């Protein structure tokens, strides 16, 4: 059973608030919304109980080289259990392609998307990859502090499908209701069931039950994808397809558990490509694929068998292997030997640029960060 941290709820709420504020600064200002909707966003005593709300406006953006009009909606929808009782308010942001004459096409494909964590809101995929607008970043250089800028996302998926970004309960502005508590949603099965309930009721509410339906998840969201696909199929509302981003179906490769060498084996190609990017190994620019092919062969034929030998691996074998690991990863042979030929991801990312008082990013190892403690 996985349990999520309440800290993500507060952080996600702030991010959602930032997004709403940024939306107000875009082409169609929030002044277009009714005074009733604006009043319902107040935080005074008269509005201390969370309630359902929808804020809708029309926008345009250049996506895939064409100007597209779309309807944006930020909302918090009631989700009910099988007995009809409200159990949660689910926060979401939707984007629907809008035709001036025909309006919304209810038969158009629709994608439901979320990040992972567990415990993350969908702000990262929303404003970084999928939505019609994205935050301007200096990829992969550090992005300066606020004020941040928005630009049209020419790689948004809105040209091929409508989009609904989902914030699971405890993230964004999604909260439990009807006597339920956060802990009632913070488990593997509970998470799957609550998000499935939101998707089902949303499809009914917007008349999209008969539209092609797709699911997109990132990281733990891919683990969640598998559960929701199965749950919704059994409920008689199957998806047409699923999109896995940074897939995680087995947590062992990520966690480096004791008495398992699998994590070390599957991470070695990543170490090599990271070292090549930061200039820590000798390799021709633009030849990363051939490097990775060579490292994968080495991993399969030499590194993995050596690890599986355990204490039966001789000193001469270990030293020879450490020299090859130095050539592929940029870490010294002595370091590999001191680590018993097993270096965790956190250790590698801290060690590679240690002499430069820097470490590399865990999610994107092109990035560099300042490391003030060069001895740890």
């Amino acid at each position: 059973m996985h349990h999520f941290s309440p800290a993500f709820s507060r952080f996600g709420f702030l991010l959602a608030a930032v997004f709403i504020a940024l939306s107000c600064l875009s082409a169609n200002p929030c002044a277009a919304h009714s005074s009733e909707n604006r009043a319902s966003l107040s935080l005074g005593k008269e509005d201390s109980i969370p309630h359902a709300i929808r804020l809708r406006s029309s926008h345009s953006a250049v996506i895939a080289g064409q100007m597209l009009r779309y309807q944006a909606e930020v909302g918090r929808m009631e989700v009910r259990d099988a007995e009809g009782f409200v159990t949660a308010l689910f926060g979401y942001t939707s984007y629907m392609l809008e035709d001036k004459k025909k309006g919304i096409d209810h038969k158009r494909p629709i994608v439901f998307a979320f990040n992972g964590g567990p415990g993350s809101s969908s702000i990262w995929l929303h404003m970084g990859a999928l939505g019609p607008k994205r935050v301007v970043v200096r990829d992969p250089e550090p992005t300066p502090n606020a004020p941040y800028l928005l630009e049209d996302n020419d790689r948004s998926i809105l040209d091929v499908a409508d989009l609904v970004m989902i914030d699971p309960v405890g993230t964004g502005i999604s909260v439990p209701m009807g006597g339920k508590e956060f802990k009632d949603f913070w488990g593997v099965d509970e998470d799957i069931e609550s998000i499935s309930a939101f998707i089902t009721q949303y499809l009914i509410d917007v008349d999209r039950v008969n539209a092609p339906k797709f699911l997109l998840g990132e990281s733990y969201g891919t683990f969640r994808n598998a559960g929701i696909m199965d749950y919704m199929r059994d409920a008689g509302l199957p998806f047409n397809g699923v999109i896995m981003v940074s897939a995680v179906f087995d947590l062992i490769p990520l966690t480096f558990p004791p008495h398992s060498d699998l994590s070390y084996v599957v991470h070695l190609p990543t170490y090599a490509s990271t070292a090549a990017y930061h200039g820590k190994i000798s390799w021709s620019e633009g030849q990363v694929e051939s490097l990775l092919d060579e490292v994968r062969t080495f991993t399969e034929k030499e590194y993995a068998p050596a690890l599986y030998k355990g204490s039966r691996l001789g000193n001469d074998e270990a030293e020879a292997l450490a020299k090859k690991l130095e050539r592929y990863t940029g870490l010294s042979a002595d370091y590999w030997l001191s680590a018993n030929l097993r270096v965790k991801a956190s250790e590698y990312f801290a060690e590679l640029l240690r002499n430069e008082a820097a470490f590399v990013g865990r999610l994107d190892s092109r990035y560099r960060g300042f490391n003030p403690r060069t001895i740890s």
Side-chain angles (χ1 to χ4, degrees):
M1 183 79 66
H2 293 270
H3 294 285
F4 313 157
S5 168
F8 281 104
S9 176
R10 297 189 293 272
F11 185 51
F13 180 86
L14 290 173
L15 289 173
V18 168
F19 167 66
I20 292 173
L22 287 172
S23 296
C24 293
L25 297 176
S26 62
N28 287 331
C30 287
H33 298 304
S34 69
S35 58
E36 179 182 355
N37 279 347
R38 291 201 305 274
S40 65
L41 287 177
S42 68
L43 299 178
K45 293 181 179 179
E46 72 282 359
D47 194 46
S48 59
I49 300 176
H51 57 273
I53 184 175
R54 289 182 175 180
L55 300 173
R56 185 179 298 164
S57 58
S58 293
H59 304 262
S60 62
V62 176
I63 299 172
Q66 54 184 326
M67 180 65 73
L68 300 178
R69 288 175 51 85
Y70 62 91
Q71 183 185 96
E73 182 174 283
V74 177
R76 190 157 58 179
M77 191 182 86
E78 290 182 349
V79 172
R80 299 175 182 270
D81 60 18
E83 287 73 39
F85 295 105
V86 176
T87 60
L89 291 174
F90 257 82
Y92 68 92
T93 305
S94 68
Y95 298 102
M96 307 291 175
L97 205 63
E98 187 176 42
D99 185 273
K100 282 186 177 182
K101 296 180 179 180
K102 299 179 181 179
I104 304 298
D105 181 0
H106 294 276
K107 295 182 180 179
R108 195 166 189 261
I110 186 169
V111 175
F112 292 90
F114 37 68
N115 279 93
S120 174
S121 72
S122 63
I123 189 71
W124 314 110
L125 280 175
H126 183 177
M127 299 303 295
L130 300 179
K133 304 286 184 179
R134 65 183 174 195
V135 175
V136 177
V137 296
R138 294 168 53 186
D139 186 27
E141 300 300 321
T143 299
N145 294 333
Y148 303 107
L149 301 176
L150 288 180
E151 65 181 2
D152 289 353
N153 181 8
D154 60 344
R155 297 184 179 181
S156 171
I157 64 173
L158 191 56
D159 61 317
V160 295
D162 291 340
L163 176 65
V164 182
M165 304 302 307
I166 303 173
D167 291 333
V169 173
T171 73
I173 54 175
S174 300
V175 294
M177 295 291 288
K180 296 290 185 179
E181 300 179 21
F182 285 111
K183 65 181 181 181
D184 296 323
F185 299 87
W186 292 349
V188 174
D189 293 338
E190 295 87 341
D191 179 65
I192 290 169
E193 292 170 6
S194 64
I195 295 176
S196 296
F198 166 79
I199 293 174
T200 300
Q201 292 168 44
Y202 182 89
L203 287 169
I204 294 171
D205 190 54
V206 300
D207 190 24
R208 300 297 283 269
V209 172
N210 201 35
K213 296 170 284 294
F214 298 86
L215 199 61
L216 186 152
E218 177 265 344
S219 190
Y220 181 83
T222 62
F223 192 91
R224 177 188 287 143
N225 272 354
I228 292 177
M229 292 285 288
D230 184 63
Y231 188 93
M232 295 287 282
R233 181 195 60 197
D234 291 346
L237 198 60
F239 280 88
N240 297 77
V242 61
I243 304 163
M244 306 291 190
V245 180
S246 299
V248 178
F249 304 120
D250 184 350
L251 296 179
I252 287 179
L254 294 180
T255 56
F256 293 86
H259 315 303
S260 174
D261 289 324
L262 179 61
S263 300
Y264 303 100
V265 171
V266 300
H267 272 78
L268 195 61
T270 297
Y271 295 169
S273 60
T274 301
Y277 179 83
H278 290 284
K280 295 302 179 180
I281 60 176
S282 299
W283 205 263
S284 300
E285 186 176 353
Q287 301 296 318
V288 175
E289 286 302 322
S290 59
L291 166 64
L292 292 179
D293 287 341
E294 183 176 325
V295 172
R296 290 178 184 125
T297 299
F298 165 75
T299 300
E300 178 183 353
K301 303 295 185 182
E302 299 183 55
Y303 184 53
L307 295 187
Y308 293 151
K309 281 187 178 182
S311 60
R312 295 187 295 109
L313 186 69
N315 290 337
D316 291 342
E317 291 179 281
E319 290 176 2
L321 194 68
K323 290 180 180 178
K324 290 186 177 181
L325 288 167
E326 177 178 348
R327 174 174 177 263
Y328 288 134
T329 67
L331 301 191
S332 71
D334 287 341
Y335 186 88
W336 278 102
L337 288 171
S338 66
N340 195 26
L341 303 177
R342 295 164 175 83
V343 176
K344 296 180 179 179
S346 58
E347 297 167 340
Y348 181 82
F349 295 148
E351 183 65 21
L352 183 66
L353 304 179
R354 187 180 300 278
N355 292 339
E356 302 174 34
F359 54 81
V360 298
R362 181 177 68 87
L363 299 181
D364 187 338
S365 61
R366 297 175 303 161
Y367 282 82
R368 299 165 59 104
F370 175 60
N371 181 6
R373 294 182 56 81
T374 58
I375 61 172
S376 63

